[in-house]
Amino acid sequence: MQKPTLYGIHHGTERDGTAYRAELTAFIDSPACTPEPVLISELERYLQPY
């Protein structure tokens, strides 16, 4: 799987010092590498051979 094209990055900081970062990337229509939103185990477990 290739990394999606990065179109832009936005940094922000709140008054309480909390920092944020947002990235705008190209849409990828291939299946996800993991069913969960956070990678909690090795990626190879979810990859299927081509």
Side-chain angles (χ1 to χ4, degrees), residues 33-34 39-47:
C33 295
T34 177
L39 188 61
I40 56 174
S41 61
E42 291 188 31
L43 189 57
E44 287 76 24
R45 176 178 169 191
Y46 298 104
L47 295 178

Side-chain angles (χ1 to χ4, degrees), residues 3-9 22-28:
K3 268 183 114 171
T5 302
L6 179 62
Y7 292 117
I9 299 174
E23 297 181 354
L24 177 62
T25 60
F27 179 77
I28 298 177

Side-chain angles (χ1 to χ4, degrees), residues 10-24:
H10 177 75
H11 296 272
T13 307
E14 297 293 324
R15 289 184 183 178
D16 66 358
T18 304
Y20 296 92
R21 175 184 170 125
E23 297 181 354
L24 177 62

